[in-house]
Amino acid sequence: MPSSINTNKSTFFTLRLASDAIHVLDQRALPREQRILKITTPDDMIGAIQDMSVRGAPAIGVAGAFGIVLSARGHRHLERGRLIEAVQNDAEWIREARPTAVNLMWAVDRMLIALEKLSAQADFDNDDIVRELEYEAQAIYDEDIATCNAIGEAGKHVIPSGSSVITCCNTGSLATAGYGTALGVIRSAWAEHKSLRVIPCETRPRLQGAKLTTWELQQDGIPFTLISDNMAAVVMRDGLPGAGPIACVIAGADRIAANGDSANKIGTYSLACLAKTHGIPFYIAAPLSTVDFNCPSGGDIPIEERAKEEMTHMGEIPITPDEITVYNPAFDVTPAELITGIITEKGLVTPENLKTLQG
Amino acid sequence: MPSSINTNKSTFFTLRLASDAIHVLDQRALPREQRILKITTPDDMIGAIQDMSVRGAPAIGVAGAFGIVLSARGHRHLERGRLIEAVQNDAEWIREARPTAVNLMWAVDRMLIALEKLSAQADFDNDDIVRELEYEAQAIYDEDIATCNAIGEAGKHVIPSGSSVITCCNTGSLATAGYGTALGVIRSAWAEHKSLRVIPCETRPRLQGAKLTTWELQQDGIPFTLISDNMAAVVMRDGLPGAGPIACVIAGADRIAANGDSANKIGTYSLACLAKTHGIPFYIAAPLSTVDFNCPSGGDIPIEERAKEEMTHMGEIPITPDEITVYNPAFDVTPAELITGIITEKGLVTPENLKTLQG
């Protein structure tokens, strides 16, 4: 079990590489409490990813890389060859902490490539290996923020001044090393013209929209109106009273197949269908590390099913009768034909042109 | 404030006309607790309708009629002409307890017509008037159950053996005097072939699907799988793992305009759009007392907005940051062109043929 501390900071970080531990803001406690978990072992990092203390595809990629650092630190006392084997072994477990977001596999694989290069450096001792892995993990973290900023720049024009934008789940600083993907696009549009309204869907069952996106928007002073997921259709049709026209829907992604089919938080497919019905553009915003060019189409993306208690309970409180059957897929797949454009750090492309960004 | 008692009955009633009070099952406490409110004044009945202790268009119609009985009982000591005036005055307030469900206005108006006839009976004293109003209210109650049974018979063929059916909110015994509208159709299909699966949408923000529909289905032993509202689209596309194909969506209604446009619980329009996208029939099940032939189209139906706490809190527990802006319309309007058929006690008709049932 990781130790935890409480903070009342007005600014926050999602996760940090520190000398004593990886510090993770426990997103399960937001928005009521800012609790920092100090994670010191790969097992605890896997636990934090699985219980969604840290969540969001880019953020769990960074968390996976930091988990490799914890593995190397923990095995520092071993003989050099055994250290490398032990980290490779831990990497397999970290890689499988959650199945859908490919950023986790991408980041762990990048750390393993770095490790392989280090293992070829006969003059590097264990301390050198740990240090270099820390550098690589921190580089993944830093690049994620830069990538989010670039996504924001590439997409900000899709939200004109005076318009409203619908989004779901949380795709902000909390879902990334910082700034955000879909919420990064919204932040960049806001920075540009200071006139828009965000309509976050609350995003059942875990309410990331109601708990996390509202919290981030409130801190940035960006105007927003929370809706429940089942209100999106009527808001698309009639608009929000007193707000500008709905310019678009922007969502994040946990894995994008080579053909542009995109897995994202459950409910994204619903929004894409409804956007099509109402003639509203639908965008996915994600780093290229979310694209799995080895995955031909959405049907090949594994979809995680999560515990029924996410639906039958609110925290510890039961909301349904006991012993009922529920269906709780964490993600759904939106087919490429419903996606107007994919906003990446290399620009906004149509799904069919996604392959031009490979490499 | 009405007094209350707790019961552990295996059977239940939604509301009852008793000699001491109107007994109302407090739906806010379900499914965890069966609490009966004893309501003795029109004001408390208005409160119970507004705070949704009793909800569902047909049920609040019956509740409104019972409220007229409470008014007459309370004014029994007045001079006969003053009694009639006092009841007419209370009726205006009861009529406006909630704005969308026309059944409330319909039932109150029917009670007022009865009262007018009684006032012409010079040989009827106050006790006679109270008794006759009790008879009329009980007739509304009894007819509602018979009507629900007829709706079930008229619609049961739309759910073939082995199929699944999506529904939302609660349209069962709890939403009516008994049996239900959309859930009555499901009950009749189940009685016919004992093979179907219900997929109730949980129905944010008040979770009537998760709390009430599951509770009714569990008691009847009808198989069901609860989903959150944002899962309906992907379930329509991919089906529910291990369940039969989605035969249709069936929802209730709070007011149906003369052209067939139907106001119902928020999220119904979303389901209708998604059903259209996926080629799935979409039905409305409601008694003819829900049809407002004086209302030309859906745009003329008033839509109630409810308190923001329904979205920001779960019971007493806050789930969002403080002081946020939310949008909380209780209903939305589904246009006639998305409705495959309207199932009434006089049969299943297309929206354009609804007018043939008038009168």
Side-chain angles (χ1 to χ4, degrees):
Chain A
M1 283 288 291
S3 66
S4 73
I5 52 172
N6 287 293
T7 70
N8 273 322
K9 293 151 52 67
S10 61
T11 58
F12 67 91
F13 58 82
T14 302
L15 70 179
R16 280 280 161 80
L17 177 63
S19 57
D20 62 332
I22 308 299
H23 294 206
V24 169
L25 178 63
D26 186 350
Q27 298 189 33
R28 299 168 308 169
L30 292 175
R32 312 310 301 180
E33 192 187 334
Q34 277 179 253
R35 182 166 65 207
I36 308 289
L37 304 176
K38 293 191 178 186
I39 294 176
T40 54
T41 68
D43 272 2
D44 282 349
M45 184 59 88
I46 289 169
I49 292 170
Q50 289 178 337
D51 69 18
M52 295 176 68
S53 302
V54 57
R55 31 69 47 207
I60 69 174
V62 175
F66 285 174
I68 300 294
V69 169
L70 292 177
S71 172
R73 285 181 182 173
H75 297 303
R76 196 198 293 254
H77 61 283
L78 295 179
E79 179 271 321
R80 184 176 179 281
R82 301 284 300 281
L83 162 68
I84 289 165
E85 276 176 33
V87 174
Q88 287 168 333
N89 186 50
D90 283 346
E92 288 309 300
W93 291 104
I94 296 169
R95 213 175 174 283
E96 292 173 12
R98 290 187 73 192
T100 303
V102 77
N103 310 62
L104 177 60
M105 298 82 183
W106 171 87
V108 169
D109 289 346
R110 180 166 153 179
M111 293 296 288
L112 287 175
I113 290 167
L115 181 65
E116 198 161 318
K117 284 184 189 160
L118 293 169
S119 72
Q121 298 268 11
D123 56 332
F124 272 29
D125 66 14
N126 284 9
D127 285 348
D128 295 325
I129 289 172
V130 169
R131 183 195 67 238
E132 292 295 321
L133 288 176
E134 287 175 350
Y135 285 171
E136 185 70 6
Q138 190 62 42
I140 290 173
Y141 175 100
D142 293 344
E143 287 169 27
D144 190 58
I145 295 175
T147 294
C148 286
N149 285 318
I151 289 169
E153 279 302 303
K156 66 184 182 186
H157 67 279
V158 305
I159 310 170
S161 181
S163 68
S164 300
V165 52
I166 294 174
T167 189
C168 66
C169 197
N170 171 269
T171 58
S173 295
L174 294 166
T176 59
Y179 202 69
T181 55
L183 204 52
V185 172
I186 290 167
R187 286 197 157 100
S188 293
W190 172 255
E192 184 96 347
H193 51 61
K194 301 280 181 192
S195 172
L196 59 84
R197 178 162 291 270
V198 186
I199 304 171
C201 297
E202 62 176 13
T203 315
R204 283 285 291 154
R206 291 187 69 106
L207 295 167
Q208 293 96 331
K211 293 178 179 221
L212 306 180
T213 299
T214 55
W215 187 70
E216 287 199 38
L217 289 168
Q218 198 174 49
Q219 290 185 52
D220 279 11
I222 302 176
F224 67 91
T225 302
L226 177 68
I227 62 171
S228 57
D229 305 316
N230 56 9
M231 294 173 193
V234 77
V235 167
M236 286 185 198
R237 184 185 68 189
D238 301 339
L240 198 65
I246 312 293
C248 58
V249 178
I250 311 185
D254 289 79
R255 190 183 307 211
I256 303 175
N259 72 343
D261 293 352
S262 297
N264 189 47
K265 179 52 53 197
I266 186 71
T268 305
Y269 171 62
S270 181
L271 289 175
C273 289
L274 295 169
K276 171 95 170 178
T277 297
H278 295 90
I280 293 170
F282 177 89
Y283 296 99
I284 291 287
L288 286 169
S289 57
T290 302
V291 184
D292 184 354
F293 286 107
N294 295 319
C295 180
S297 74
D300 304 297
I301 301 174
I303 300 295
E304 177 185 10
E305 263 200 69
R306 292 188 60 88
K308 69 186 280 188
E309 286 72 21
E310 291 188 348
M311 292 186 61
T312 59
H313 288 64
M314 185 68 60
E316 300 297 308
I317 301 166
I319 54 179
T320 68
D322 295 332
E323 290 168 31
I324 66 165
T325 303
V326 311
Y327 181 46
N328 187 18
F331 307 96
D332 58 27
V333 173
T334 299
E337 59 262 32
L338 294 180
I339 301 171
T340 310
I342 299 174
I343 306 167
T344 77
E345 67 272 32
K346 288 194 185 169
L348 191 166
V349 294
T350 59
E352 51 267 34
N353 284 333
L354 185 61
K355 282 180 178 158
T356 64
L357 303 182
Q358 185 172 10
Chain B
M1 282 286 292
S3 65
S4 72
I5 52 170
N6 287 291
T7 69
N8 274 322
K9 294 153 50 69
S10 60
T11 58
F12 67 91
F13 57 81
T14 302
L15 70 180
R16 280 279 161 80
L17 177 64
S19 57
D20 62 334
I22 308 300
H23 294 205
V24 169
L25 178 62
D26 186 351
Q27 299 191 34
R28 300 168 306 168
L30 292 175
R32 312 309 302 180
E33 193 187 334
Q34 277 179 254
R35 183 166 65 208
I36 308 288
L37 303 176
K38 294 190 178 186
I39 294 175
T40 54
T41 69
D43 271 2
D44 281 348
M45 184 59 88
I46 290 169
I49 292 170
Q50 289 178 336
D51 69 18
M52 295 175 68
S53 302
V54 58
R55 31 66 50 205
I60 70 174
V62 176
F66 285 174
I68 300 294
V69 170
L70 292 178
S71 171
R73 285 181 181 173
H75 297 302
R76 195 196 295 251
H77 62 282
L78 295 179
E79 179 271 320
R80 186 176 177 282
R82 302 285 299 280
L83 162 69
I84 289 166
E85 275 175 32
V87 174
Q88 287 168 332
N89 187 48
D90 283 346
E92 288 309 300
W93 293 104
I94 297 169
R95 213 175 174 281
E96 292 172 12
R98 290 188 72 191
T100 304
V102 77
N103 310 62
L104 177 60
M105 298 82 183
W106 170 87
V108 170
D109 289 346
R110 182 167 153 177
M111 293 297 288
L112 287 175
I113 290 167
L115 181 65
E116 197 161 319
K117 284 185 190 160
L118 292 169
S119 72
Q121 298 268 11
D123 55 333
F124 273 28
D125 66 14
N126 285 8
D127 285 347
D128 295 326
I129 290 173
V130 170
R131 184 196 64 239
E132 293 295 322
L133 288 176
E134 287 174 347
Y135 286 171
E136 185 70 6
Q138 190 63 42
I140 290 173
Y141 175 101
D142 293 344
E143 287 169 28
D144 189 57
I145 296 174
T147 295
C148 286
N149 286 317
I151 290 170
E153 280 302 303
K156 65 184 182 185
H157 66 279
V158 306
I159 310 171
S161 180
S163 68
S164 300
V165 52
I166 294 175
T167 188
C168 65
C169 197
N170 172 269
T171 58
S173 296
L174 294 167
T176 59
Y179 202 70
T181 54
L183 203 53
V185 172
I186 291 167
R187 285 195 157 101
S188 293
W190 172 253
E192 185 95 349
H193 50 62
K194 301 279 182 194
S195 172
L196 59 83
R197 177 163 292 270
V198 187
I199 304 172
C201 296
E202 62 175 14
T203 315
R204 284 286 290 155
R206 292 186 69 105
L207 295 167
Q208 293 95 331
K211 293 179 179 222
L212 306 179
T213 299
T214 55
W215 186 70
E216 287 200 38
L217 290 168
Q218 197 173 52
Q219 290 185 53
D220 279 9
I222 302 177
F224 68 90
T225 301
L226 178 67
I227 63 171
S228 58
D229 305 315
N230 56 9
M231 293 174 194
V234 75
V235 167
M236 287 186 197
R237 183 185 68 189
D238 301 339
L240 198 65
I246 312 294
C248 59
V249 178
I250 310 185
D254 289 80
R255 190 184 305 210
I256 302 174
N259 71 344
D261 293 351
S262 297
N264 189 47
K265 180 51 55 195
I266 187 70
T268 305
Y269 171 63
S270 181
L271 289 176
C273 289
L274 295 169
K276 171 93 169 180
T277 297
H278 295 90
I280 293 169
F282 177 89
Y283 296 99
I284 292 286
L288 285 170
S289 56
T290 301
V291 183
D292 184 354
F293 286 108
N294 295 319
C295 181
S297 73
D300 304 298
I301 302 174
I303 300 296
E304 177 185 9
E305 262 200 71
R306 291 189 60 88
K308 67 185 282 189
E309 286 71 21
E310 291 188 348
M311 292 186 61
T312 59
H313 288 64
M314 185 68 63
E316 299 297 306
I317 300 166
I319 54 179
T320 67
D322 295 333
E323 290 168 34
I324 66 166
T325 303
V326 310
Y327 182 47
N328 187 18
F331 307 96
D332 57 28
V333 173
T334 298
E337 59 262 32
L338 294 179
I339 300 170
T340 310
I342 299 174
I343 306 167
T344 77
E345 67 272 31
K346 289 195 187 169
L348 191 164
V349 293
T350 58
E352 52 267 35
N353 284 333
L354 185 61
K355 282 179 179 158
T356 64
L357 303 182
Q358 185 171 10

